[in-house]
Amino acid sequence: MPGWRASAEFAMERQFALIELLADGRLHSGEVIARHLGVTRAAVWKALKKLVEEFGLELESERGRGYRLRIPLELLNGERIRSALSDAGRERLAALNIHRRIDSTNAELMRLASAGIPSGTACLAEQQTAGRGRRGRTWVSPFGVNLYLSLLWRYPLAPAALGGASLAVGAVLADMLHGLGAEGLALKWPNDLLWRRRKLAGLLLEVAGESQGPCHLVVGVGLNLRMGAGQGREIDQPWTTLTEVLGERAVGRNQLAGHLLEALSQALERYGREGLEPFLERWRAYDAYLGEPVGLAIGDQVIAGRHAGIAADGSLQLDTPTGRRAFQAGEVSLRPLESTQA
Ligand code: BTN
């Protein structure tokens, strides 16, 4: 390994050792940090600066006493995630890849899928440097405070058969969080998870394969957990976090990742056998804008109508002045009419 690369990796390892030390949210003196990392006080100062500038972590200092993270972190841990799974869930999970920093967990699984990794491989990251959102948007992915999780599932089916999978996944995500005590969740077609009309989680499904099958699906979930206002300042729509939704009942990050993998793997397996049908009623129970006037954006066009619910194939039905029309998942986005007119 070239010397510069080895030293860059060493510096990165030291940076993560610092994050692990500070993760508890307690005060740590400069002297203790220097001893822990085996570096000088000047190097500690540089590493702390990097923590704020490169990792977006919010740091507080107390004169003469030391430094602490404003929001303590529960770092991802494979064993703790696995221990939240049932025996069946553990069997469905072929591999659990955890990264500290990656471009995108979805991009990673799409790359690895082409190289032949097994169905049921999951990928999580503390931070994404190029998190992907729907319709080409960026998913803001600061270090350690949210969940960025993707799961690969292989099907003997044609990609077209997976058209309803995004609704199925949205319904089980809402159900899983409801089971943990989250009240007032809603789904905005096709699969944005909202709380009080603010975005709590987003789903990105990517499919590739032969036109007649087989194919593979990567389901990516971005779930806001403890992101601070400063860390989410680049998000261009109202958003919330699970901590705000659950308050005192908040669940640990690893446990939540385990619950999510359990629910997703179960749903993806079931979808392969039964399609969207068993998930439809659950989705409908969370429908955010049913009966309301909405604007449906398709490219530059906005189609106005009344949201008439979802059809059996998962398409959105809109009552327009020219009659009821159905729109397929993936091409459109939905907003309350006021904001599309603005
Ligand atoms: C949306 O726009 O609402 C979808 C956001 C999906 C974000 C998740 S985070 C984990 C996975 N990796 C990505 O790059 N995107 C998805």
Side-chain angles (χ1 to χ4, degrees):
M1 190 185 299
W4 63 266
R5 204 192 305 156
S7 77
E9 275 178 20
F10 181 66
M12 196 47 94
E13 279 310 313
R14 228 168 33 202
Q15 200 68 40
F16 286 120
L18 174 60
I19 293 174
E20 274 163 19
L21 179 69
L22 295 180
D24 60 9
R26 299 214 181 103
L27 274 173
H28 297 269
S29 73
E31 195 186 329
V32 166
I33 298 174
R35 218 176 320 120
H36 184 80
L37 301 182
V39 298
T40 63
R41 294 290 293 272
V44 167
W45 173 242
K46 251 174 78 182
L48 287 168
K49 202 160 157 255
K50 213 163 162 187
L51 221 65
V52 176
E53 289 170 1
E54 253 186 52
F55 290 80
L57 295 173
E58 297 175 45
L59 202 62
E60 292 175 342
S61 63
E62 269 189 35
R63 221 183 147 73
R65 293 193 59 208
Y67 307 88
R68 71 166 154 240
L69 289 181
R70 197 179 71 75
I71 304 173
L73 301 176
E74 183 187 325
L75 296 171
L76 296 171
N77 177 304
E79 262 173 46
R80 291 174 73 181
I81 294 175
R82 277 203 177 82
S83 70
L85 291 166
S86 68
D87 289 346
R90 265 190 289 271
E91 258 176 48
R92 285 192 298 267
L93 192 67
L96 180 56
N97 303 338
I98 298 179
H99 299 262
R100 286 154 169 177
R101 191 186 247 181
I102 200 166
D103 54 349
S104 147
T105 54
N106 261 37
E108 171 72 354
L109 284 188
M110 287 301 277
R111 286 189 291 262
L112 294 177
S114 315
I117 57 159
S119 186
T121 300
C123 178
L124 286 98
E126 297 288 5
Q127 180 181 25
Q128 296 185 119
T129 53
R132 299 181 186 174
R134 286 182 61 236
R135 310 178 96 217
R137 284 190 287 256
T138 299
W139 188 255
V140 173
S141 309
F143 190 95
V145 286
N146 297 325
L147 273 186
Y148 318 115
L149 178 154
S150 301
L151 181 62
L152 168 75
W153 214 259
R154 294 187 184 274
Y155 292 97
L157 309 166
L162 302 186
S166 89
L167 276 82
V169 169
V172 299
L173 174 62
D175 260 358
M176 185 276 280
L177 295 173
H178 183 251
L180 295 176
E183 299 289 342
L185 298 175
L187 285 163
K188 185 180 79 156
W189 187 88
N191 57 23
D192 278 359
L193 186 63
L194 309 178
W195 182 71
R196 300 189 178 164
R197 305 229 153 160
R198 288 184 279 149
K199 189 149 167 171
L200 174 63
L203 295 171
L204 179 67
L205 277 74
E206 301 188 62
V207 190
E210 305 296 324
S211 59
Q212 301 303 316
C215 69
H216 59 261
L217 169 71
V218 171
V219 174
V221 184
L223 174 57
N224 298 332
L225 295 186
R226 300 195 70 179
M227 178 163 59
Q231 292 169 314
R233 69 182 171 278
E234 281 167 20
I235 301 177
D236 60 0
Q237 58 183 311
W239 57 273
T240 185
T241 62
L242 195 60
T243 306
E244 188 179 357
V245 175
L246 289 179
E248 291 305 305
R249 292 161 300 175
V251 179
R253 194 160 167 253
N254 287 295
Q255 202 186 347
L256 199 63
H259 287 318
L260 197 50
L261 286 170
E262 176 85 29
L264 286 182
S265 58
Q266 194 178 27
L268 294 179
E269 193 176 72
R270 186 165 189 200
Y271 186 92
R273 288 194 312 269
E274 300 175 54
L276 178 59
E277 207 278 324
F279 303 94
L280 277 172
E281 281 318 304
R282 286 150 79 188
W283 198 97
R284 287 179 177 133
Y286 293 104
D287 196 339
Y289 297 121
L290 187 63
E292 289 189 42
V294 293
L296 193 61
I298 307 179
D300 294 342
Q301 221 195 341
V302 176
I303 297 164
R306 193 169 288 277
H307 174 26
I310 55 164
D313 66 353
S315 57
L316 174 79
Q317 305 183 100
L318 219 53
D319 285 338
T320 71
T322 57
R324 181 163 292 185
R325 294 174 64 187
F327 297 87
Q328 300 295 328
E331 298 161 17
V332 289
S333 76
L334 182 67
R335 302 182 201 126
L337 199 54
E338 314 83 75
S339 66
T340 58
Q341 285 177 332

